[in-house]
Amino acid sequence: MEQTKKCPSCGGTMIFQPGFNYMRCQSCGHKEMIPELVSKIPVKEMDFLTAQNTASHDWGMEAKVVTCKQCGAETIQNRLQLSGLCPFCGSTTVETADPSQDIMAPDGIIPFKITEKRAFYIFKDWIKDRFLASELLAENAQLNKFYGIYVPLFTFDVLTENRFTGHYSENGRTLLRCGKFRHQVDDFPVVASKQLASDKLLLNVIKDYRTKEAKPYTPDALAGFPCEHYSIGLSEAWNSVGPDMDFYLRNQACKQNETRYLKGLDMTTEYFDLKYKYLIVPVWINSFFYDNKLYTIVINGQTGKIDGQWPKSFGTFAKKAALFFLESFGLNQYGY
Ligand SMILES: [Zn+2]
Ligand SMILES: [Zn+2]
């Protein structure tokens, strides 16, 4: 959702200021503090089993769902907001609809810390040694613009009971050991955006949040920024943790004395007392087309971590154009 808020002194548009805890009027500079962002109250953990009944559906404003016809991304925006660009692919072809009854509203928000200007510096540094960096930057206007957007992230708290078997060596003999340990998992992140979860590089950036710094949800921190609606539901998100959770718990097992020196560790896990938080978290996104392929670069709006896709070679179109040029001058020394 992109929130529109009118300035109380001049009627201008108020926009949330990354790095600060207030909104600022675009016309007269009037500032308004956002109390939720200075609050010391932690974001409430929600019980997973009763989630369907207790999750909030109140976005704190009149919301609408905007769907991009090119890439399928869904964002939630203020009903008063005119639909703009799709932040994922730059398309202007979008369709709006009413949000369905069961779209949960976020429990918490991590506000933008990184400004757009800072994001651009981070980006320039990241591309400086890459293929055709300055040429593409000069040619492609879209590359010079980052879009700020909030994306959905579920975090899970769960008590795990792990049973393990493994082998160890003693006096030249191999012996079997089995046992169990408990471990409380805290704020295990699962990205709820199909657009971003499909790419490992982007996923690394989106998992890099300090979730303890999340604040209670407020639509004011969205003033000027759209928010992606989750495309991976709560149950689907929890069901997808398997391999990641397994990897994480095996790392925990290595920190336990009983399992530290075991080889061929085999582990089964039972989960208890599952809780979740639905957070929206800030990213700066830059997407551009090169040779008909969409490239996406994302910057974590809280930590500044950057990653994404970048062309590695001349596209087929550029190659054909170059060949045509070489051939028409009889210069094709490449043996094509
Ligand atoms: Zn004003
Ligand atoms: Zn799109």
Side-chain angles (χ1 to χ4, degrees):
M1 95 187 59
E2 190 160 331
Q3 171 78 335
T4 44
K5 191 107 181 177
K6 292 267 168 282
C7 170
S9 56
C10 80
T13 307
M14 305 284 287
I15 294 219
F16 172 69
Q17 296 298 299
F20 297 94
N21 295 319
Y22 55 77
M23 291 176 287
R24 190 172 169 276
C25 172
Q26 296 294 91
S27 315
C28 74
H30 172 79
K31 291 173 191 168
E32 208 157 287
M33 283 300 287
I34 305 174
E36 286 86 349
L37 299 190
V38 290
S39 136
K40 295 266 189 292
I41 304 166
V43 181
K44 218 176 136 196
E45 303 284 349
M46 310 293 287
D47 188 57
F48 184 84
L49 292 175
T50 55
Q52 302 295 348
N53 310 320
T54 57
S56 166
H57 298 119
D58 183 9
W59 284 81
M61 63 175 187
E62 292 274 311
K64 65 180 177 187
V65 179
V66 177
T67 308
C68 170
K69 286 189 163 174
Q70 184 163 271
C71 76
E74 284 188 354
T75 51
I76 307 245
Q77 301 184 7
N78 191 302
R79 190 174 285 280
L80 305 171
Q81 183 74 30
L82 293 173
S83 306
L85 288 172
C86 168
F88 290 96
C89 71
S91 165
T92 49
T93 336
V94 294
E95 201 173 67
T96 64
D98 287 334
S100 68
Q101 288 294 304
D102 56 357
I103 292 186
M104 295 192 301
D107 303 307
I109 182 169
I110 293 177
F112 272 97
K113 285 254 186 301
I114 305 285
T115 61
E116 185 179 357
K117 204 170 157 194
R118 176 98 190 95
F120 201 69
Y121 279 128
I122 294 171
F123 168 64
K124 289 268 277 235
D125 194 51
W126 183 75
I127 62 166
K128 69 174 189 282
D129 299 322
R130 282 168 202 267
F131 176 74
L132 286 186
S134 50
E135 287 83 351
L136 284 181
L137 211 52
E139 260 169 35
N140 203 323
Q142 234 175 264
L143 254 182
N144 292 283
K145 175 88 189 130
F146 270 84
Y147 290 98
I149 180 174
Y150 286 96
V151 298
L153 182 85
F154 291 117
T155 65
F156 294 102
D157 283 10
V158 68
L159 178 66
T160 62
E161 206 162 280
N162 307 281
R163 290 170 192 281
F164 62 84
T165 54
H167 296 94
Y168 66 102
S169 307
E170 205 175 73
N171 303 327
R173 288 194 305 158
T174 300
L175 299 166
L176 182 75
R177 174 176 290 165
C178 41
K180 60 181 182 181
F181 71 92
R182 284 183 156 210
H183 178 74
Q184 174 67 46
V185 179
D186 188 28
D187 279 4
F188 194 84
V190 179
V191 177
S193 160
K194 279 192 177 137
Q195 246 76 16
L196 297 175
S198 61
D199 188 287
K200 227 182 158 89
L201 298 173
L202 305 182
L203 203 56
N204 286 339
V205 174
I206 306 299
K207 285 191 172 175
D208 186 48
Y209 288 97
R210 299 184 298 265
T211 51
K212 287 285 168 260
E213 292 174 21
K215 300 291 178 189
Y217 167 70
T218 162
D220 286 351
L222 298 182
F225 297 92
C227 172
E228 191 196 5
H229 157 45
Y230 56 85
S231 46
I232 295 171
L234 182 61
S235 305
E236 192 183 350
W238 171 246
N239 289 333
S240 76
V241 301
D244 282 356
M245 183 68 88
D246 201 50
F247 182 75
Y248 168 80
L249 287 172
R250 277 172 180 278
N251 271 334
Q252 292 305 315
C254 294
K255 293 178 186 162
Q256 312 278 326
N257 274 330
E258 302 91 335
T259 58
R260 184 171 283 171
Y261 303 109
L262 295 182
K263 289 198 171 63
L265 196 64
D266 193 18
M267 224 164 75
T268 55
T269 303
E270 271 188 281
Y271 298 101
F272 303 94
D273 195 22
L274 179 58
K275 292 200 161 54
Y276 77 95
K277 281 180 295 203
Y278 167 22
L279 303 180
I280 50 174
V281 298
V283 291
W284 289 104
I285 291 194
N286 186 329
S287 30
F288 64 101
F289 281 93
Y290 179 70
D291 196 40
N292 286 326
K293 185 178 172 331
L294 182 70
Y295 290 86
T296 305
I297 294 147
V298 298
I299 296 174
N300 185 308
Q302 183 193 33
T303 64
K305 182 168 178 163
I306 181 171
D307 217 330
Q309 308 132 0
W310 191 259
K312 289 197 175 64
S313 63
F314 288 107
T316 48
F317 176 76
K319 218 183 260 170
K320 267 181 205 150
L323 275 177
F324 174 77
F325 177 82
L326 292 170
E327 271 160 8
S328 44
F329 290 91
L331 291 171
N332 188 351
Q333 76 264 53
Y334 297 106
Y336 288 112

